[in-house]
Amino acid sequence: MSGKHARRRISVLGSTGSIGTSTVDLLKGMKDRISVRALVGGKNARLLAEQARLLEAELAVLDDENGYEELKTLLADTGTEVAVGRQAVIEAGALEADWTMAAITGAAGLEPTLAAARNGHAVALANKEALVCAGNLMLKIVREAGAKLLPVDSEHNAIAQSLGGAPMSEVEKIILTASGGPFRRASLQEMAEATPEKALRHPTWSMGAKITIDSASMANKGLEIIEAARLFGLPEEQIDVLVHPQSVVHGMVNFRDGSFVAQLGSADMRIPISHTLAWPERMTTGCARLNLAELGQLDFEAADEERFIPLRLARQVLRAGGVAPTVFSAANEVAVAAFLAGRIRFLGIGETIEAALDAMDANPEPQTLEDIFHWDRVGRELAEAWINRQPQGN
């Protein structure tokens, strides 16, 4: 970007998802200071077109090729270019931009996120799988390109804010908080009988289906442990998880002098997104302010790694390294889809992941993106094979 007052060039990958729509909500108040290079959506052509029109985007890309005609028609009277398909999504990620939101969920977000990192600018990372599946490769690309990774996950963003630039050598532990989801107090029997409807009933956050199920099983927190290890360069034993049902404290740093520094805020993803958008400064948002006097108390309890199997498994794969985290993530995606389709019971999510990990016949360190995609496929196949061996609805 040249010139003191030049507009910042922005791209949003995953603009029609929950993080993407929150990002667009913030961007619409900054139209005089930004120019939107690309908006990338999944299947919702109508919403993508509304966003592109609102932000006067240069390019609107839909992953679903079936939506091309609808998107083209909806934007026919604008200057926005339209494209569809997987390759167009990756090319949109590679567009030169000063700030890119990487919010395409799952392994599908890997390539466009890496493409954005190669540009050497700021990448607001909401796709945790990029670090979980391709951690070393992702960090190598970021380092070589001179890019800046800005964590969007509320927990990791809270850790980044709490660190305040302190060296990691001063840190004893970081603490990720978890709401506990809908099954915080549930017995194993209740969890075994849980329906998708119950699992999707998150007590605090409004999110997409996949991440909401991940929150209920605590696979999400497991992925976040791995993500935190990559982001902050810490071993597994220096990352703790505390269940905090009010979801007010999003993360804490325990420094080696005994001090705890925490970040607090309302359960609104626009707060961490705005932190990455304005970084290294801060911006005004319309987010609700906390009233601690009204809140009265904050509760914390240890996370139960016996009931929430994915949490225990995440620590195991982090210690194992290699492609084990990739298989963990892939098997979890398959298991969540199977649970939502009624093919396995809720506890089957953790059992599927464990079965896939147990069935791995090697655990090499991935060197290339192709290695990662290969092991992602292996993880999916192992998970699918295990699910197919289960009685229907088990």
Side-chain angles (χ1 to χ4, degrees), residues 206-246:
S206 175
M207 307 176 286
K210 197 267 182 180
I211 194 171
T212 304
I213 299 299
D214 282 351
S215 179
S217 71
M218 293 194 83
N220 184 53
K221 206 53 56 181
L223 292 167
E224 288 177 357
I225 291 173
I226 302 170
E227 183 185 5
R230 311 280 202 219
L231 270 173
F232 302 111
L234 290 175
E236 173 264 329
E237 60 269 20
Q238 279 185 270
I239 305 169
D240 276 353
V241 173
L242 276 179
V243 174
H244 167 51
Q246 291 91 355

Side-chain angles (χ1 to χ4, degrees), residues 57-369:
E58 292 177 38
L59 174 66
V61 179
L62 202 64
D63 189 35
D64 181 6
E65 296 188 7
N66 294 322
Y68 178 69
E69 290 301 330
E70 182 181 8
L71 185 62
K72 187 179 174 186
T73 301
L74 288 168
L75 292 173
D77 61 336
T78 71
T80 301
E81 187 182 343
V82 170
V84 295
R86 180 70 186 156
Q87 189 55 38
V89 171
I90 297 169
E91 289 172 3
L95 280 177
E96 186 88 5
D98 301 302
W99 185 90
T100 299
M101 166 58 75
I104 298 175
T105 57
L110 188 54
E111 281 184 282
T113 301
L114 290 176
R118 287 192 180 95
N119 276 325
H121 298 293
V123 177
L125 188 67
N127 170 284
K128 54 177 66 67
E129 287 84 356
L131 278 176
V132 170
C133 301
N136 291 337
L137 183 61
M138 176 86 184
L139 294 175
K140 181 172 180 283
I141 289 171
V142 166
R143 196 166 47 245
E144 289 177 353
K148 177 70 179 176
L149 274 186
L150 302 168
V152 173
D153 262 355
S154 59
E155 297 82 357
H156 304 81
N157 184 270
I159 299 297
Q161 291 196 49
S162 299
L163 281 168
M168 295 308 296
S169 58
E170 300 293 323
V171 174
E172 189 165 291
K173 285 193 173 185
I174 60 175
I175 298 102
L176 308 174
T177 56
S179 68
F183 305 132
R184 181 169 69 95
R185 298 290 191 200
S187 66
L188 273 173
Q189 184 62 36
E190 290 169 326
M191 291 168 73
E193 296 170 355
T195 62
E197 184 185 14
K198 282 185 180 175
L200 287 168
R201 210 175 292 150
H202 196 281
T204 311
W205 295 95
S206 175
M207 307 176 286
K210 197 267 182 180
I211 194 171
T212 304
I213 299 299
D214 282 351
S215 179
S217 71
M218 293 194 83
N220 184 53
K221 206 53 56 181
L223 292 167
E224 288 177 357
I225 291 173
I226 302 170
E227 183 185 5
R230 311 280 202 219
L231 270 173
F232 302 111
L234 290 175
E236 173 264 329
E237 60 269 20
Q238 279 185 270
I239 305 169
D240 276 353
V241 173
L242 276 179
V243 174
H244 167 51
Q246 291 91 355
S247 297
V248 166
V249 178
H250 303 298
M252 290 178 268
V253 177
N254 176 199
F255 289 95
R256 64 192 179 107
D257 64 358
S259 298
F260 281 76
V261 178
Q263 185 266 342
L264 288 69
S266 57
D268 188 332
M269 284 306 297
R270 290 178 299 172
I271 294 176
I273 293 169
S274 72
H275 180 254
T276 68
L277 190 53
W279 182 87
E281 300 171 357
R282 291 185 186 266
M283 61 187 280
T284 302
T285 74
C287 300
R289 271 43 176 172
L290 287 179
N291 185 326
L292 293 173
E294 279 186 6
L295 195 61
Q297 69 178 53
L298 300 175
D299 300 308
F300 299 94
E301 56 195 63
D304 185 347
E305 296 187 7
E306 295 303 315
R307 278 190 305 136
F308 296 98
I309 298 172
L311 199 55
R312 168 173 56 80
L313 295 175
R315 290 194 181 279
Q316 289 178 11
V317 301
L318 183 52
R319 289 194 295 271
V323 293
T326 306
V327 171
F328 174 99
S329 177
N332 179 55
E333 281 194 42
V334 172
V336 170
F339 169 65
L340 289 172
R343 297 176 62 204
I344 58 173
R345 60 199 175 102
F346 180 73
L347 292 178
I349 294 173
E351 292 166 357
T352 302
I353 301 169
E354 189 158 36
L357 291 168
D358 288 346
M360 289 174 64
D361 58 4
N363 187 27
E365 187 63 38
Q367 303 297 323
T368 65
L369 205 51

